[in-house]
Amino acid sequence: MLFFRYLERLDNDVVAALIVFGALVTALVVGISSHEFSHAYVADSMGDRLPRSRGRVTLNPLAHLDPAGTIFLFLVGFGWGKPVPVNPNVSPNPKAMMAIVAGAGPVSNFLVAAVVGLPLQLGLVPWLSPFNLADLDLQLSLGFDAADYLGLYLSAIVVISIILGVFNLLPIFPLDGHRVIPAFLTDTAARDYMRFQSRYGFLILIALIALPFLTGGQFGVLFEVMSPIINVLARLFAGIDEDVFG
């Protein structure tokens, strides 16, 4: 979906549009692979051999990418990888184990953003957010050099990685965040919470994603919740003094 916003700019700078597309592919492949690997690795390190038996303790993208989920990511900006099977009952505290394993995925996305953002932090390349079309149009009119192209590529990966991490921390089924909450609840409250999530969580998530499209952008609850967090993390990981989303 992000790439389609650049189709009209192909006449101005084909390389810039292809770089954004390449950054999108890189961020999604690396993001999903590292995300699912982190789930598997942390579960394995806590004594659960189920992920290893399913071949998931690997950074090989083929082990983690779900074809349908990947297609949806490109078309609508929402998708998924193959869920990592986990057996929390190997732990004396299954709720805590699930929270740690679930949280490892988004943390890996933030780690990718931090590492990729180092050249931006050090001022080696300029920050060029793929979501700031006004700045991109200005840069297109001025012309790109090699540093600008690399800055655009790295900036796009940083932003997309942060979005993946923040989105997955939302406490709504089937996102990772919904498995973190029970660690802070009593057993009875945790069971009630998970029962509610399994029945209604996915419907709530779809409704929240669809709401901006159905209301012409008037009600973007997810955007309103996520954008301040994304802005803070982008400032932290890329060393910028501006917001990604105003």
Side-chain angles (χ1 to χ4, degrees):
M1 184 178 183
L2 179 61
F3 181 60
F4 296 145
R5 300 175 65 185
Y6 294 86
L7 289 180
E8 64 189 49
R9 292 165 170 80
L10 284 176
D11 289 340
N12 295 327
D13 196 320
V14 176
V15 176
L18 292 178
I19 282 176
V20 172
F21 180 70
L24 177 61
V25 172
T26 302
L28 294 179
V29 172
V30 173
I32 292 176
S33 300
S34 61
H35 185 105
E36 300 301 335
F37 163 76
S38 297
H39 287 321
Y41 176 81
V42 171
D44 184 72
S45 67
M46 297 181 74
D48 180 11
R49 299 296 176 255
L50 182 57
R52 183 172 294 275
S53 70
R54 302 292 177 83
R56 303 302 299 278
V57 188
T58 176
L59 283 169
N60 183 352
L62 296 179
H64 304 297
L65 295 179
D66 180 273
T70 303
I71 292 172
F72 267 77
L73 270 169
F74 281 97
L75 293 180
V76 301
F78 167 71
W80 56 90
K82 296 178 184 176
V84 174
V86 176
N87 177 19
N89 293 321
V90 301
S91 169
N93 190 336
K95 290 192 300 181
M97 177 178 173
M98 280 306 304
I100 294 171
V101 171
V107 168
S108 74
N109 296 129
F110 299 145
L111 181 60
V112 169
V115 172
V116 174
L118 282 175
L120 298 163
Q121 287 232 34
L122 297 173
L124 301 178
V125 294
W127 165 263
L128 287 170
S129 171
F131 291 96
N132 191 329
L133 297 183
D135 281 356
L136 279 183
D137 285 339
L138 175 61
Q139 192 63 48
L140 284 169
S141 67
L142 297 175
F144 279 79
D145 59 24
D148 294 326
Y149 284 130
L150 182 56
L152 176 60
Y153 179 74
L154 296 181
S155 300
I157 293 176
V158 168
V159 174
I160 295 167
S161 297
I162 292 173
I163 291 173
L164 285 173
V166 173
F167 180 70
N168 273 285
L169 278 176
L170 295 174
I172 310 173
F173 176 87
L175 304 178
D176 295 323
H178 96 281
R179 293 193 176 278
V180 175
I181 299 299
F184 303 96
L185 303 175
T186 64
D187 289 344
T188 299
R191 284 193 296 270
D192 291 340
Y193 173 82
M194 293 301 289
R195 189 178 301 114
F196 174 86
Q197 287 286 353
S198 63
R199 289 180 179 176
Y200 306 111
F202 188 69
L203 295 176
I204 293 173
L205 181 61
I206 294 300
L208 291 175
I209 291 173
L211 198 56
F213 299 98
L214 298 176
T215 62
Q218 294 299 310
F219 297 98
V221 177
L222 287 182
F223 177 78
E224 295 297 329
V225 171
M226 292 172 57
S227 58
I229 304 172
I230 294 169
N231 288 336
V232 169
L233 293 177
R235 288 171 177 264
L236 175 65
F237 296 145
I240 58 175
D241 58 0
E242 63 183 72
D243 288 338
V244 176
F245 300 112

